[in-house]
Amino acid sequence: MTASAPDPARAASGTRLPLDEARDHLLVQVAKMYFQLDRTQADIAQALGLTRWQVGRLLSEARETGVVRIEIAPRANRVAALEAALQRQWRLRDAVVVPSEGDAAVDAGAVAQAAAAWLAGLGEKPALIGVSWGRTMAAVARALPAGWNPGAHVVLVNGATALRLTSPGIGTVAEAFAQTAGGSATLFPAPAILGRAETRAALEADPVIAAALDLARRAPLVIFGMGAMQDSVLAASGYVSEADISRLKAAGAVGDILGRFLDAQGRILDPALDARTLGLRPELLVTRRHAVGVVSGATKQAVALAALRARLVNVLVTDETTARHLLSFNPGVPDAC
């Protein structure tokens, strides 16, 4: 006569208990042995008179019913629960969220450091990396460790010859990325926004600019900041006037990505201004393996939401307050502003 498999509703002694009490006891016992005492499933099965299959089922049930709650506690200063929620809700490849300290400058610095750590820690770093310019990306460049990607080729993805000197380093991001990596850089030796659309068309036909644009289009990883309408780096650099900013805001602009001003749905807002803007177009970010958006602060929450809605970002690095704000919106409701 073949012996039947042990009943998991029995204690080890074989005495049958009420199903709920027996199962609760057994769930706790199995969970403690596996998660706290580091016993293998085979050891637990032998000790309790169960099969390995039954032990596996009990461990799964312990997780599903809350007897076991798994908490990810990164050694880095990160909010893992919000990261997972962002990935689920906005279908991201990855998310990095740092705690908000209530100080915009402190939070921005922490986000830049987290972006640098994510990039340096990427398992398979591409040989070709695209970067935008600006204050956020300059901060990321300063936070990168030496030798983070030896031999990397870094290409600037949009024009960056500033008309006015502003914050140090905002226009030399690609050089800084390449220098810390131990690689080389290809630059955009032209302004981000030109005076006439015909000038942009002529520059894009120039072999030097065309080669840089081709590299930017081929980069499998592009890392970029997001510009707010308030204290716009494009205005500070002399590309647009404060009157332009006021006009764009009135028309519904929420910020800029790669020098292009976007509306709340992530669409380019001003075709005439766009026709004068030189560099990688935002819609091409959708096809990148890693489109890494780095954003922090209340003034940039609207453009971050627009980027998510338009699928311009698949890896988001941000602060806790911004993450909670982004999670308050339903991806399926395009006009939830």
Side-chain angles (χ1 to χ4, degrees), residues 90-94 224 226 257 282 285-286 290-294 303-317:
W90 292 101
R91 294 180 294 161
L92 300 174
R93 288 181 62 90
D94 203 356
F224 55 94
M226 304 183 195
I257 289 178
L285 293 170
V286 176
H290 292 101
V292 187
V294 185
V303 69
L305 179 60
L308 288 173
R309 284 173 168 163
R311 310 293 296 161
L312 302 181
V313 55
N314 59 34
V315 177
L316 183 67
V317 186

Side-chain angles (χ1 to χ4, degrees), residues 162-200:
L163 304 180
R164 290 199 296 262
L165 181 63
T166 55
S167 304
I170 66 169
T172 57
V173 171
E175 299 100 305
F177 266 69
Q179 185 175 12
T180 56
S184 59
T186 293
L187 310 180
F188 253 102
I193 300 175
L194 298 149
R196 300 177 62 182
E198 295 88 346
T199 307
R200 191 205 78 172

Side-chain angles (χ1 to χ4, degrees), residues 39 61 109 155 176 279 312:
R39 303 280 293 276
E61 185 178 340
V155 58
L312 302 181

Side-chain angles (χ1 to χ4, degrees), residues 232-243:
S232 167
V233 71
L234 290 171
S237 299
Y239 290 120
V240 293
S241 67
E242 290 301 332

Side-chain angles (χ1 to χ4, degrees), residues 127-215:
L128 178 62
I129 292 175
V131 299
S132 69
W133 61 277
R135 290 184 285 251
T136 297
M137 296 311 299
V140 174
R142 289 192 294 270
L144 284 166
W148 62 272
N149 190 8
H153 190 164
V154 180
V155 58
L156 193 63
V157 298
N158 53 336
T161 303
L163 304 180
R164 290 199 296 262
L165 181 63
T166 55
S167 304
I170 66 169
T172 57
V173 171
E175 299 100 305
F177 266 69
Q179 185 175 12
T180 56
S184 59
T186 293
L187 310 180
F188 253 102
I193 300 175
L194 298 149
R196 300 177 62 182
E198 295 88 346
T199 307
R200 191 205 78 172
L203 280 174
E204 286 186 345
D206 180 87
V208 173
I209 301 297
L213 270 173
D214 181 62
L215 279 175

